[in-house]
Amino acid sequence: MQRMLEKMAARLNEYDEASLMSLWETYAERVYEFEPGRRWEEATLCLCLIQAVRWKNQLFNYRRLASLNPADISEPPMFTPVVRGRKAVPEEKKKAHVLSFPPKNPKNEE
């Protein structure tokens, strides 16, 4: 299982964020319009993968900036490293970022 996940991650990492983000709206609409079944589940996973690449890049940029000039850093992206089953950093109360899916504006509706 671990090897399979690592292969999937390596493959996903080959794509650039801009290309993936161009598909974000497509998958967000499919996820918003819930219909039980495999198609909805796969669309949800696609949306999560796009979000994962975006978050990975944000975390990478944060870590890179922190290593170059620690004085320029502000708050890290929401991430708490885990070390041997326990959190490496004490948990702080932070507001969660919730991804919302606003309703589509129907055309020709008054």
Side-chain angles (χ1 to χ4, degrees), residues 41-79:
E41 291 175 3
E42 290 173 358
T44 303
L45 290 172
C46 289
L47 184 62
C48 290
L49 291 171
I50 292 169
Q51 289 292 112
V53 170
R54 183 178 172 101
W55 180 77
K56 183 264 308 179
N57 289 341
Q58 289 174 346
L59 183 60
F60 177 88
N61 292 337
Y62 172 81
R63 295 287 186 182
R64 183 74 176 140
L65 180 62
S67 69
L68 296 175
N69 192 356
D72 285 347
I73 61 171
S74 57
E75 250 184 76
M78 294 191 61
F79 176 74

Side-chain angles (χ1 to χ4, degrees), residues 30 35-44:
R30 288 184 193 170
E35 52 183 77
R38 193 166 194 85
R39 183 171 184 244
W40 182 87
E41 291 175 3
E42 290 173 358
T44 303

Side-chain angles (χ1 to χ4, degrees), residues 83-100:
V83 177
R84 294 186 187 189
R86 60 185 172 87
K87 292 183 179 177
V89 179
E91 185 174 336
E92 299 175 19
K93 290 189 177 185
K94 294 183 181 181
K95 289 184 178 181
H97 296 278
V98 178
L99 182 62
S100 64

Side-chain angles (χ1 to χ4, degrees), residues 32-33 102-110:
Y32 181 76
E33 299 295 328
K104 282 175 64 174
N105 292 330
K107 295 179 183 176
N108 303 326
E109 190 172 301
E110 299 176 345

